[in-house]
Amino acid sequence: NKYLFPTDILSCDFPLVEPPPLDILSKANYSHYGDGTTELWQDSGRKSKRRYRHAFMICSLFPALNEAATFYKKHHCPNGANYEKLWNHFRWKKEHGKRKASSSSS
């Protein structure tokens, strides 16, 4: 969900996005919505097509975001930056609750 994405991903201290797992297609069977609800998909017809579309978007979007953030950090973080691919929304949400990730410096 775009509303749950970190607003400070370009901060020098904020890590890059963790790449999706290689078996994402077998695990992509639900949608997350901004209000915290989820929708479990049935594995047939139109719903099955949704699984492929979501997996494709995640596998395309995360590396592109990391590449853009890396480019930005290389040009705007004179004291170094965090290039580790560690940020995972679902793990972060379990550890910190519903609030978005936030970093104090940039």
Side-chain angles (χ1 to χ4, degrees):
N1 183 316
K2 67 183 179 183
Y3 300 107
L4 301 176
F5 210 76
T7 57
D8 53 355
I9 191 168
L10 298 179
S11 164
C12 296
D13 295 330
F14 199 84
L16 300 174
V17 179
E18 183 179 284
L22 296 176
D23 60 349
I24 188 172
L25 192 55
S26 66
K27 292 181 177 180
N29 63 348
Y30 55 91
S31 289
H32 287 268
Y33 296 103
D35 63 359
T37 61
T38 59
E39 175 190 0
L40 187 62
W41 309 330
Q42 302 299 321
D43 200 17
S44 62
R46 262 184 64 220
K47 300 286 184 173
S48 182
K49 187 182 281 189
R50 186 186 297 181
R51 173 182 284 192
Y52 283 90
R53 287 178 177 168
H54 280 245
F56 175 80
M57 283 305 300
I58 294 296
C59 291
S60 300
L61 182 63
F62 283 14
L65 286 170
N66 282 342
E67 190 173 329
T70 297
F71 179 86
Y72 181 88
K73 290 177 182 191
K74 283 182 179 177
H75 291 88
H76 294 90
C77 298
N79 297 324
N82 185 352
Y83 297 108
E84 294 182 289
K85 296 177 182 174
L86 298 175
W87 193 80
N88 179 305
H89 165 71
F90 303 106
R91 187 171 46 246
W92 190 92
K93 187 176 174 183
K94 282 181 187 177
E95 294 171 3
H96 302 286
K98 287 186 175 185
R99 286 195 61 218
K100 292 182 188 178
S102 179
S103 179
S104 58
S105 62
S106 55

